[in-house]
Amino acid sequence: MVYDPNNIFAKILRGEIPCDKVYEDDHALAFKDINPQRPVHVLVIPKGEYVSMDDFSHNAADAEIAGMMRAIGHVARELGVADSGYRILANHGSDGNQEVPHFHVHIFGGANCGPMVKRM
Ligand code: 5GP
């Protein structure tokens, strides 16, 4: 899948659309989800142009992958959910129900996240 530079998270990265930023470094940006599903619901995105987990895991440099993982852990600690627990989630493609085609990891916390996935 070809990266669409006009997706909403690309616009947030370029500063064309505002976001409620919670963290930023060389590799990642984290901001609150506009439609939170838990008291804590933050999205962590790489600064590079990657469509999804599949693209990122295949094509990102080791430093970008390490940067994303470090950022996710750091943000969770900063949000105060490391002790109480949290869930991270990344949707890829159609069966993953991915809506925004820029790789992102959700951090959910502040309340129990329930079963891992909805039963079929
Ligand atoms: P996906 O289903 O792609 O994993 O999740 C996309 C997430 O992006 C959804 O939870 C949705 O609420 C969030 N989202 C969509 N548009 C915006 C936006 O403009 N700003 C923010 N902060 N979140 C957004």
Side-chain angles (χ1 to χ4, degrees):
M1 192 178 176
V2 177
Y3 184 82
D4 171 12
N6 288 318
N7 77 75
I8 202 102
F9 293 170
K11 291 180 179 175
I12 285 175
L13 273 173
R14 290 195 296 268
E16 295 166 11
I17 290 178
C19 72
D20 198 343
K21 181 165 82 174
V22 299
Y23 178 72
E24 182 172 13
D25 65 20
D26 287 349
H27 291 297
L29 174 70
F31 52 91
K32 292 183 182 175
D33 195 290
I34 205 166
N35 182 23
Q37 304 297 312
R38 285 294 181 279
V40 170
H41 185 175
V42 164
L43 302 168
V44 186
I45 69 173
K47 289 198 167 172
E49 296 185 342
Y50 301 102
V51 176
S52 71
M53 174 62 192
D54 184 61
D55 186 13
F56 187 70
S57 63
H58 198 236
N59 296 312
D62 290 355
E64 293 177 289
I65 293 172
M68 260 298 274
M69 291 303 288
R70 296 262 188 227
I72 293 163
H74 177 80
V75 167
R77 286 189 295 278
E78 288 290 304
L79 292 168
V81 295
D83 288 340
S84 52
Y86 59 90
R87 175 171 295 164
I88 61 171
L89 182 149
N91 294 318
H92 161 64
S94 177
D95 281 354
N97 221 35
Q98 181 178 5
E99 290 172 14
V100 179
H102 181 111
F103 177 48
H104 52 281
V105 171
H106 298 253
I107 302 176
F108 299 103
N112 187 272
C113 288
M116 199 155 55
V117 290
K118 205 168 165 184
R119 291 196 181 279
M120 292 180 77

